[in-house]
Structure formats: C-alpha cells, structure tokens
Amino acid sequence: MDDIGDPLKMTDISARADDLSPRTPRPARGRRRRIVPAVIAVGAAAAIVVLVINLLNGSLFFYDASEAVARRAELGTDRFTLLGSPIEGTITKGFDGDETVVAFSVAFDGVDVDVVHFGDPPDLFKAGVPVVLDGAWVHEPAAVDGFVGNETDGWHFASDRMRVKHDNDYKNKSEYDSRVDKANKEGRIVATSNASGG
Amino acid sequence: MTTSMTDNAREVSPPATGSRTTFWLGVVSLVGVVALILLSFFVAPEDDDQHDAVRMIFIHVPMAMLTYVAFSLTAIGSVLWLWKRSVWWDTVAHGAAEVGVMFCGLTLFTGSIWGRPTWGTYWDWGDVRLVTTMILFLIMVGYLAVRSLDGDTATLATRAAVIGIIGAVNMPIVNRSVTWWASRRTLHQKSSLTDGKLEGLTLFTMMFGLVVFSIVMVWMLIHRFRISWLERQVSEGDLSEALIARRAEAAVVSSEGGSK
Amino acid sequence: MTHLGYLLVGWGVSLLVVGLYSLSLVRRGRRLAERVPAERRRWMTSETPSK
C-alpha cells in the first residue's frame, strides 16, 4: 500500500493550529459555490422525507388472491394491489374499442380470482409467473369473449396496471439439457439424472 | 522529508495522480471490461423467461454489490474520523462516497432499465427495495454536498461522517428488504446469489463482472484518494501563502508604528 | 437478440458514466498535481506515466 501515500506522514489539520497565529479566512469561493451544495443537501433531505412518508403510507402493498377474497367486504370498491399467479389455459385476449383487454384467472394459496386487465400486459406475462395488479373488485362476472374463468362467485378484479413479479430462478433449459446429454454421452454422469435445471 | 527523497521525487514524479500500480490496474480494468462485454453478450446463455434481458444482471448486480462495499468504506472511514480523528480514513471515506454514489446511481439506472422489460415498469414509488435504494443514494449525495460546503474542513468532515454512518444504517434495510417485504411491498426478486439460483455461465459471468468492476473501483479509489490529498496540499499551500502575506503586512504595520 | 434497445441503453450509459468519471479523475489529478510541488506528491514511486 506504499502506493496510496504515507498515512503516518499526513498531519492532522487540527494539529497545524500552532502555525496559525493570525488565522486568515479562506479565499472566497464565490456565491454559487456556497449555495449549490446547500441547495442539493436540503433538496436531498426533503426528498428523503417525502419518500419515507410515501413508503410508510404503503403506496404499494399487495394482498394475495386469498387475502383479497377474504377481505372483499372490507375492501369494497377501493383500489388495492393484488398478487397472484396466472393459471395455465385461462389467458384470453380481447379488445375494448382500441384498447387491449386480457382476461385470466390468478391463484394464490388455492384461491382463484378472475381478472380483467385493461391495457397491454408486460412482455414477461405468462401463466405461472406471478403478477401484481392495481385495480378494484367489480361485482359482475368477467365479460370477455371466449373467457371462461375459474371463479364463479360473480365477482372479478378489474385492473389497469400490471407488473410481473419475476423470481430469482435463472435458467436456460436447452443449454442445461444439452450439457447433461453431452455429459451422458461422454459417460461422465453414471447415475440416471432427470432433474431439470433450477 | 529528507533532501534525497525530495530530489528523487522531483526527478520522477509526473504531475498527475497515476503511478505504476494504477497504470496496471487501468490496463487490467480495460481488458476486463472488454472481456465482460464479450462474455455477457456472446457467451452467457439467454434466460428461458427473460430471454436476453437477463444480460442486465451482469452489470446491475456487480454495481449493486460494489455500492455496498464503497458505502461501507465510507462508514468505516467516518467512524475512524470521529473516533481517532484519522485524516487518512476521512480521505478514504470521502473518496469512497463519491465512487459509491456513482455506482449506486448506476445500480438504480440499470435496475430501472431492466425492470421495464421484466416487470413491465421502470419504477414504482411504493416498492421498498427501489425506494430504500433511492434513499441511500440521496443520503450519500447529501454527504457529498455537505463536504463541498464552504467552511472549516474538520467541522464539515465531522458533519459528513455522521451522514455517512446514517447511510450505512440504511444499507441492511436495503439489502434485506427483498426478504422482509417479499410478498408485500416489493417487485424485486430475492438475492439470486445467496439463494443459489444461478447456474453455469450465468453465475460465472456475474462473478467475473464483480471482479472486473472491483478492480475498476480500486483504481478509482486510489486516484480519488490522491486527489483529496492534493486538494489538502493545495489548500494548505494557499494558507501558508496567506500567512506569509499577513505576516509581511503585520511587519510593515509594526515598523510603521515604530517609526512614528 | 431480444430487448436489444434496453441492453444497449443500460450497458452503454453505464460504461459511458464509468469512463467519463475515470477520465475526470485523471484530469482533476493532473490539474491539482501541477499546483503541488513534486516533493509533496509523496506517493509517486515510479516513472510510468499514468493511464
């Protein structure tokens, strides 16, 4: 670490006080130099306060599908955020005028909810990958041509904002399989292994 | 400082903050970044769900991890300044904060860009992981702002040190938020690394990215440390010049006084 | 390659920022070092010019 400088030779600035009989004020650095950092510091502090208040107010707070059903009376027609996993075979696309509409059922803890989402879904939207939806309960069955929901209690969740809550499981199945095949051919894997990646 | 050392320094010192060590660190960094780009875009496989968007992981995760490293250095330096009045550590704290703010800003940026194709949104103001990271960024921007205010260097260092420690307190919240509020308040996935969900070349490339950007960060920290050190030399030089001027003035005044 | 636009912007801006910050460090160092006498630039131990 000789490269960084010699810490022992660095004198503490407070220890230099003995040099300074008549202490001279530092040269003026200009108004701008004094104001800009102060404005940034105050602005950052204010922004932090706003962000913390916003977080504490829970502007993003999911109810999973089973909680959302259990709290239906309490939630009424208030907007809330719903978490659930789209069920294979239920995803149906349609149009409301020019706007894309997607109807599907989501599941969480064995409870299903029918959803009608207005707008284009994210690229990663597909069955089995959980979604987070902003919207509200509507006391009508979901009416999208061709959609057969899993839920038959006469309610659906109308959503206008969808985000995909992707998990942390990264895999490339074909690459994994080809590596397993190669290893098998080379006789490196003796025991039979059918486990897929991830 | 001995005369021989002075002469030696005068002979060999280029007027810059580079040295043999930083030269080689710089060369390794450049080669490493090029290799990382090749690995990330042409060697690592695409993800079954995310397809090529997964390639953001190779820059986003190293940036995020090095943000923690940099701000931890700031916190350690801040404690040692407050406790031992160590100028060396105060200088490290300042440099690490500046480098850390850059890495933290890029973590937010790359995460946001990655979020659009995967989550379907660039940002969510209610997401705990995202917002606590933004708060960490703002705290450390505040740290740098305080350091560049006009005033007594030691006093500003003390104030900044307190901010640096507050930033460090926020770090475990940022890091654990994905576990504490996983099913409630964040879109962000849990750690892929600690959960062991990365495999083969994806894991290798991410770790390679971490090593490359660590070297880049060391290069930056050394240069930044030397800049702070030079700034101190310059301001002390200005002060001695001002003192000499003031003494000369005082001498004139007293000799004028004596002649009356 | 899917999502190429996002990848180019994400990687491009990040590498640009890292590069520009590195450059600014070298420049700040050069500017300051000119104002400090050689004997006070103590860490200098080699003749290799900086990157």
Side-chain angles (χ1 to χ4, degrees), chain A residues 59-99:
Chain A
S59 68
L60 181 68
F61 188 93
F62 320 148
Y63 286 114
D64 63 50
S66 82
E67 288 170 329
V69 169
R71 290 168 180 264
R72 191 142 57 195
E74 175 195 331
L75 288 165
T77 52
D78 290 351
R79 279 178 72 84
F80 68 97
T81 306
L82 175 75
L83 170 69
S85 193
I87 300 167
E88 185 82 54
T90 64
I91 299 171
T92 312
K93 286 203 177 180
F95 288 95
D96 178 31
D98 289 340
E99 197 178 19

Side-chain angles (χ1 to χ4, degrees), chain A residues 150-162:
Chain A
N150 275 21
E151 194 47 64
T152 51
D153 61 0
W155 289 81
H156 77 272
F157 184 82
S159 147
D160 56 12
R161 186 163 185 232
M162 186 197 303

